[in-house]
Amino acid sequence: MDRIKVLRKEKGISQERLAMELNISQTMISKYELGQSEPDIQMIIKIAEYFNVSVDYLLEISEDKLNINSENLTDNEKSLLLDYKRLNEIQKVKAEAYIKGLLNG
């Protein structure tokens, strides 16, 4: 599972640290990353939750990293997403640029 290694490096943590966080051995993390072993479904879910990515992304089924579940969103966040979907393409580009500007300070 190449994505485990990529996500781990993006987060700047070692195999040992990830193993500790997931309550498994560093050897198992290494085997996952080298493709010598595959995590079971429970571990896949645990890894996806740890990195806050979708299971589909972790399994390389999708390029969509986000793990957005409507249960995790507040009513205000849901409303904002619905409003965004109603925007035309030019308005979406402007909204995205504004949000990026806010985040970059």
Side-chain angles (χ1 to χ4, degrees), residues 58-70:
L58 189 61
L59 295 174
E60 299 181 36
I61 294 169
S62 169
E63 293 301 312
D64 186 9
K65 237 182 190 184
L66 296 178
N67 183 19
I68 297 178
N69 181 335
S70 64

Side-chain angles (χ1 to χ4, degrees), residues 46-64:
K46 195 171 183 179
I47 293 167
E49 287 174 349
Y50 176 78
F51 288 113
N52 198 31
V53 297
S54 69
V55 169
D56 285 353
Y57 178 80
L58 189 61
L59 295 174
E60 299 181 36
I61 294 169
S62 169
E63 293 301 312
D64 186 9

